[in-house]
Amino acid sequence: MSEANESKKMIFSGIQPTGVFTLGNYLGAVRNWAPLQDEYNCIYSIVDMHALTVKRDPIAFRQKTLESYALLLACGIDPEKSIVFIQSHNPSHAQLNWILACSTQFGELSRMTQFKDKSKKHPDDVNAGLFTYPVLMAADILTYNADLVPIGQDQKQHLELARNIAVRFNQRFGETFVVPEPYIPKVGAAIKSLQDPTKKMSKSDDNPNACVYILDDKDTIIRKFKRAVTDSDTVVKFADGKDGINNLMTIYSCVTGKTMDEIESEFAGKGYGDFKIAVGESVADSLKPIRDDFNRLMSDKAYLKECYTQGAQRAFRISNKLVTKVSRRVGFVDVR
Ligand code: TRP
C-alpha cells in the first residue's frame, strides 16, 4: 500500500513487544488482523514506546521488538498490503501525544483500571509514562484518522478515552479527528489460562503450563494441553461451570473452524484425555508454518530492516499531515 486508498476504511492496531505472542494474543487478536488487510487500509504497529512504561533491559528489549515485528509478518501481516512499523520510528506519535495530553484531564487518567492495576503491580516504578499511557494510545490511533481499532476487551476503556479526547478536541478546535470505533472480533476474543480458566491467558502467569506460546514446539504444546485444568465431569460439552472445557473447545473451534455442536459430537463417548490431545495437535499443526516463517525472517535481518524502514516512512507520510493540521489548530506558529 503506497498511498492510503480513500474509499477504504482505516484500521489501526498496536501490539506491545513484551515477548512471543501467546495463543491468546494470536487467536484473540493477531490472527484476525490478516483477513482485514484486503477490505481495509491497515496500519499495524509494534508499540515499543508503550512497552517502555515498564523497566526493561535495553538489549533484551531491542531483540524482543525485532522478534515481535518478525512475528507479525509470520502471522500473515503482509508489508505490501499493510503498513507495518515500529512505533518509535515515527515521531508523529510522540508529537501528538503531547498535544493530546494537554486535552486530557488528570481525573480521567486516574480512573483507568489498567493504570491502577499496573501501579499496584510495580509500586516501585509508578512513572508518568504509565499514567499517560492511554494518551499515547489515543495519539497512535488519532494520528492516522483510524475508523476502526481491533482491540481486546481489556483495552475498551482506553479506546473510550481516545474517543472522548477526539470529540473534545473537535469541539474546541473544529473537526480534526475521526472518532474511532472499537473492532472486537466475535470468536476467540478471550482465551483463558490453561491452569485457571477463569483468568485470561497471560504471559505474566507464574505457572509455565498456563500459557501456550506461538513458537512453542509440538511436544511442549501437547504437554501443556494434557495438563490443562478441566472439571470432574467427563463429557466434552460447552456449558456453564465447565470453564476449562469451554476454553479448550473455544481454542479447538478457532483453530479447526468447527462449531461447538460439531466438536461435541466428534468427542461423544470419548474422554477428556483424547480431547486434550486433539486440541494440542491441532494447535501445534496450525502454528507450525508461523514458527517456520519466523525462523526464516529472523535469519534475514536485511529484509526485516527494509520492511520496518519503509513501514515507518509510509506511516509518517500519513500521520505527519495530521500533526501539521493539529499544530495549526492549536495555534503553533507555522514553520513551513
Ligand atoms: N495498549 C494496547 C495493549 O496493551 C496496545 C496499543 C497501544 C494499542 N497503542 C494502541 C492497541 C493503539 C490498539 C490501538 O493491548
Side-chain angles (χ1 to χ4, degrees):
M1 181 166 85
S2 49
E3 285 296 321
N5 178 335
E6 299 275 326
S7 65
K8 289 185 180 174
K9 285 195 170 179
M10 183 71 92
I11 283 202
F12 179 92
S13 199
I15 188 156
Q16 290 202 44
T18 45
V20 172
F21 308 153
T22 69
L23 185 64
N25 299 139
Y26 176 62
L27 294 179
V30 182
R31 191 177 77 144
N32 303 301
W33 291 1
L36 302 174
Q37 299 178 103
D38 295 316
E39 209 178 321
Y40 301 99
N41 291 319
C42 295
I43 307 182
Y44 295 123
S45 184
I46 300 297
V47 289
D48 55 346
M49 289 157 72
H50 279 102
L52 206 57
T53 55
V54 172
K55 279 199 187 116
R56 310 218 170 257
D57 165 61
I59 292 170
F61 181 36
R62 183 175 294 118
Q63 178 68 11
K64 282 193 170 175
T65 301
L66 274 178
E67 287 178 0
S68 303
Y69 187 88
L71 260 183
L72 266 191
L73 302 193
C75 287
I77 304 302
D78 179 348
E80 298 290 324
K81 289 186 187 167
S82 301
I83 294 176
V84 201
F85 74 105
I86 296 169
Q87 184 187 31
S88 63
H89 291 175
N90 179 358
S92 298
H93 296 250
Q95 279 176 290
L96 193 58
N97 172 64
W98 180 257
I99 299 174
L100 296 183
C102 300
S103 277
T104 309
Q105 297 304 306
F106 181 86
E108 2 180 44
L109 290 176
S110 312
R111 286 193 290 276
M112 294 292 120
T113 55
Q114 185 173 297
F115 170 69
K116 290 190 238 175
D117 292 347
K118 285 197 179 171
S119 18
K120 259 190 232 133
K121 223 168 143 188
H122 307 278
D124 57 327
D125 187 22
V126 184
N127 62 76
L130 198 61
F131 188 63
T132 62
Y133 177 114
V135 180
L136 180 60
M137 182 161 158
D140 296 342
I141 298 164
L142 301 181
T143 198
Y144 300 102
N145 267 331
D147 300 287
L148 295 171
V149 185
I151 44 164
Q153 205 65 33
D154 64 321
Q155 296 297 314
K156 269 181 89 172
Q157 195 187 29
H158 288 163
L159 188 68
E160 198 52 44
L161 178 68
R163 288 168 53 86
N164 291 340
I165 294 173
V167 168
R168 192 176 315 142
F169 190 99
N170 288 349
Q171 280 167 353
R172 179 156 172 220
F173 296 106
E175 266 327 291
T176 309
F177 295 120
V178 168
V179 181
E181 302 278 345
Y183 183 94
I184 299 178
K186 285 166 229 61
V187 274
I191 303 299
K192 307 291 190 194
S193 155
L194 297 186
Q195 292 297 316
D196 176 359
T198 58
K199 286 192 329 207
K200 184 175 154 179
M201 182 180 280
S202 159
K203 13 192 167 205
S204 45
D205 206 303
D206 295 332
N207 187 332
N209 290 318
C211 176
V212 171
Y213 294 97
I214 67 171
L215 297 178
D216 279 350
D217 62 36
K218 186 163 185 167
D219 290 348
T220 307
I221 294 176
I222 293 179
R223 194 184 64 237
K224 288 179 180 175
F225 277 103
K226 274 191 187 160
R227 295 189 184 159
V229 168
T230 47
D231 52 59
S232 55
D233 193 18
T234 51
V235 190
V236 176
K237 185 172 170 50
F238 198 93
D240 277 353
K242 290 171 72 78
D243 294 328
I245 287 295
N246 295 350
N247 186 39
L248 296 183
M249 286 181 75
T250 303
I251 294 171
Y252 192 62
S253 165
C254 279
V255 169
T256 60
K258 293 178 184 165
T259 65
M260 295 305 174
D261 284 346
E262 284 165 351
I263 299 171
E264 285 173 15
S265 35
E266 182 179 350
F267 293 96
K270 295 187 187 150
Y272 285 174
D274 287 344
F275 178 53
K276 286 179 179 178
I277 292 173
V279 180
E281 282 188 342
S282 66
V283 168
D285 291 347
S286 77
L287 296 179
K288 171 139 193 331
I290 297 178
R291 209 165 74 227
D292 293 348
D293 233 25
F294 172 79
N295 290 332
R296 191 179 50 76
L297 287 161
M298 285 308 286
S299 63
D300 191 352
K301 295 274 163 27
Y303 173 74
L304 270 187
K305 188 168 188 180
E306 165 86 21
C307 286
Y308 62 68
T309 306
Q310 281 207 13
Q313 287 166 353
R314 290 177 183 167
F316 178 75
R317 255 181 260 136
I318 298 176
S319 60
N320 192 45
K321 285 194 194 126
L322 208 77
V323 170
T324 304
K325 184 169 171 186
V326 169
S327 303
R328 290 220 184 92
R329 287 277 154 99
V330 300
F332 288 162
V333 173
D334 201 346
V335 71
R336 281 157 211 90

